[in-house]
């Protein structure tokens, strides 16, 4: 485990907002020399604290403006049932997040589609065809006031 100090925390906060910031601008933002800043970023990458950089897209612009969080209950809790469900979700383009969780349900999904009709198709044709799914509870996202994952 890497020890994260206050300077690393500042660097990570800036990089979360703008992963494409130049090293010089990042160094200035956190009050370090460019060489010291670069060494810290490289160490955060090497140690696995920073796992990668990615593009954050606007779901609405991508034709995926409808979002729902979906709780999934399974009738079977075998390793095969869990792995089968996870494989099916991994290839479903509507599923942007799939979490195995503790509690009353086995999985929490974030599903994005063009509209309610698209979600209904996913609900019926993907979730409805999974043999071990015995409970589906959908929570429709009406508005997002905070999402730190999206920069």
């Amino acid at each position: 485990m890497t020890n994260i100090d206050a300077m690393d925390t500042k660097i990570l906060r800036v990089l979360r907002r703008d992963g494409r910031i130049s090293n010089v601008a990042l160094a200035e933002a956190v009050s370090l020399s460019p060489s010291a800043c670069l060494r810290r970023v490289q160490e955060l990458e090497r140690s696995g604290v920073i796992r990668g950089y990615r593009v954050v897209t606007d779901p609405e612009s991508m034709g995926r403006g409808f979002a729902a969080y979906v709780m999934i209950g399974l009738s079977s809790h075998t390793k095969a049932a869990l792995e089968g469900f996870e494989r099916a979700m991994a290839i479903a383009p509507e599923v942007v997040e799939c979490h195995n969780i503790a509690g009353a349900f086995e999985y929490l999904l974030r599903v994005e589609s063009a509209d309610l009709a698209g979600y209904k198709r996913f609900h019926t044709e993907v979730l409805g065809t999974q043999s071990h799914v015995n409970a589906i509870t959908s929570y429709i996202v009406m508005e997002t006031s905070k999402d730190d994952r999206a920069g």
Side-chain angles (χ1 to χ4, degrees):
M1 182 170 150
T2 302
N3 291 327
I4 305 295
D5 64 14
M7 182 57 65
D8 290 336
T9 300
K10 285 171 66 174
I11 289 169
L12 292 169
R13 189 175 309 118
V14 173
L15 286 173
R16 275 192 204 104
R17 283 193 309 267
D18 182 3
R20 294 183 61 173
I21 191 171
S22 71
N23 182 62
V24 171
L26 176 60
E28 185 177 317
V30 298
S31 303
L32 276 178
S33 70
S35 60
C37 185
L38 181 61
R39 279 193 301 277
R40 281 179 174 267
V41 170
Q42 289 173 334
E43 177 57 25
L44 289 166
E45 292 170 341
R46 187 199 62 71
S47 67
V49 171
I50 296 175
R51 295 191 316 196
Y53 301 87
R54 64 179 179 215
V55 171
V56 177
T57 58
D58 175 45
E60 189 85 27
S61 299
M62 302 287 294
R64 299 170 73 80
F66 182 90
Y69 285 92
V70 185
M71 306 296 287
I72 302 295
L74 300 181
S75 59
S76 175
H77 300 100
T78 65
K79 183 176 181 180
L82 297 173
E83 289 175 348
F85 180 79
E86 290 175 8
R87 275 193 306 276
M89 295 307 101
I91 62 171
E94 299 87 354
V95 177
V96 295
E97 295 178 39
C98 177
H99 307 278
N100 182 226
I101 59 173
F105 295 93
E106 282 69 46
Y107 287 94
L108 170 65
L109 308 177
R110 178 175 170 90
V111 177
E112 295 178 354
S113 63
D115 51 25
L116 181 58
Y119 175 70
K120 184 178 185 308
R121 274 190 302 282
F122 167 78
H123 188 284
T124 303
E125 297 173 14
V126 178
L127 294 178
T129 63
Q130 299 302 304
S131 62
H132 296 294
V133 170
N134 74 345
I136 303 170
T137 304
S138 302
Y139 298 93
I140 307 306
V141 176
M142 295 173 59
E143 181 179 16
T144 301
S145 60
K146 180 179 179 180
D147 184 352
D148 283 344
R149 299 165 304 125

